[in-house]
Amino acid sequence: DAMVIQNPRYQVTQFGKPVTLSCSQTLNHNVMYWYQQKSSQAPKLLFHYYDKDFNNEADTPDNFQSRRPNTSFCFLDIRSPGLGDAAMYLCATSREQNRNPEQYFGPGTRLTVT
Amino acid sequence: AQSVTQLGSHVSVSEGALVLLRCNYSSSVPPYLFWYVQYPNQGLQLLLKYTTGATLVKGINGFEAEFKKSETSFHLTKPSAHMSDAAEYFCAVSFSGGYQKVTFGIGTKLQVIP
């Protein structure tokens, strides 16, 4: 089945230790997104890729970076995680088509910062 | 600018009772509207969407929603709640035309009482 895969599902890192979260998709969608979701809150968009074009949200901290080496993969790098970065990180994809604007989400990576 | 308001962060219903989750939106152009469901420690799954055409939209798991332009509403309903419906539900809005940012509501946690 076509899907969005996130690894790992649970990640524990230490305060200030760089961490990378990964996302892959078999849907061949050209748009990929990273969201941060804290407990009992809506997902907050961090950035998205439209093909290879990177689009950062204005309020996304510089501590968060992303890479998309090809259509299928996208990575979220947190350079110096703080306690406030503990959250669920969701990857999503979509087509750029008016008739199919919905996003497809992966299962998420829950990040714990100790 | 677009926004979504979900009335009621927590809703409790008895098993077999009607489920009604409220969503109002604001948008300066015709919107695309979505309902997503999120189970604990999972990503978001699309329940249903409205883009154009029929204003009553049927989704998965027996849910449906009606787009009412005059009321700027897109409420989610299900005639008879099942225990498996207990989850968090997010209403979301975007615009038509290529890539458009999706704005999520704060979510409504549905509790189903046996």
Side-chain angles (χ1 to χ4, degrees):
Chain A
D1 287 343
M3 58 177 60
V4 182
I5 302 161
Q6 290 189 245
N7 286 305
R9 293 293 314 278
Y10 299 89
Q11 176 75 58
V12 180
T13 191
Q14 294 177 338
F15 183 95
K17 185 175 181 181
V19 65
T20 295
L21 310 181
S22 71
C23 176
S24 63
Q25 54 132 338
T26 61
L27 298 162
N28 203 32
H29 286 171
N30 60 330
V31 191
M32 293 188 77
Y33 312 79
W34 279 105
Y35 288 88
Q36 179 192 65
Q37 186 182 27
K38 296 191 175 180
S39 182
S40 299
Q41 295 184 21
K44 177 181 180 298
L45 183 64
L46 296 174
F47 24 62
H48 76 275
Y49 276 92
Y50 192 114
D51 293 322
K52 292 185 177 181
D53 293 333
F54 176 71
N55 298 271
N56 201 32
E57 292 298 299
D59 57 354
T60 298
D62 292 341
N63 199 25
F64 292 86
Q65 303 288 322
S66 185
R67 297 169 282 135
R68 189 180 185 185
N70 54 51
T71 300
S72 301
F73 285 86
C74 196
F75 300 97
L76 171 62
D77 300 309
I78 309 177
R79 293 192 294 185
S80 182
L83 297 178
D85 297 327
M88 174 77 93
Y89 290 88
L90 297 168
C91 175
T93 71
S94 70
R95 295 189 196 99
E96 185 256 325
Q97 291 182 8
N98 285 348
R99 290 186 300 171
N100 296 283
E102 66 271 25
Q103 295 183 15
Y104 293 77
F105 285 80
T109 296
R110 183 165 295 282
L111 179 68
T112 301
V113 182
T114 62
Chain B
Q2 58 194 26
S3 66
V4 176
T5 301
Q6 289 184 242
L7 295 175
S9 58
H10 290 80
V11 170
S12 293
V13 299
S14 298
E15 190 175 16
L18 172 71
V19 176
L20 171 60
L21 305 183
R22 298 178 186 274
C23 174
N24 288 88
Y25 69 91
S26 69
S27 175
S28 56
V29 297
Y32 287 161
L33 295 160
F34 312 88
W35 276 99
Y36 286 88
V37 61
Q38 185 177 34
Y39 298 98
N41 289 314
Q42 295 292 325
L44 277 68
Q45 180 184 10
L46 182 70
L47 275 178
L48 47 79
K49 65 179 179 182
Y50 169 80
T51 53
T52 60
T55 56
L56 181 63
V57 180
K58 295 187 184 299
I60 62 172
N61 301 340
F63 284 94
E64 63 182 37
E66 187 171 8
F67 170 57
K68 292 187 176 180
K69 184 178 179 180
S70 61
E71 299 176 9
T72 61
S73 69
F74 192 58
H75 302 330
L76 182 70
T77 60
K78 181 174 180 177
S80 177
H82 192 272
M83 295 299 295
S84 61
D85 295 327
E88 189 153 22
Y89 293 79
F90 291 93
C91 182
V93 64
S94 72
F95 298 131
S96 61
Y99 164 72
Q100 297 290 345
K101 180 178 176 178
V102 174
T103 299
F104 288 88
I106 63 170
T108 298
K109 280 190 177 173
L110 177 65
Q111 180 186 23
V112 181
I113 303 167

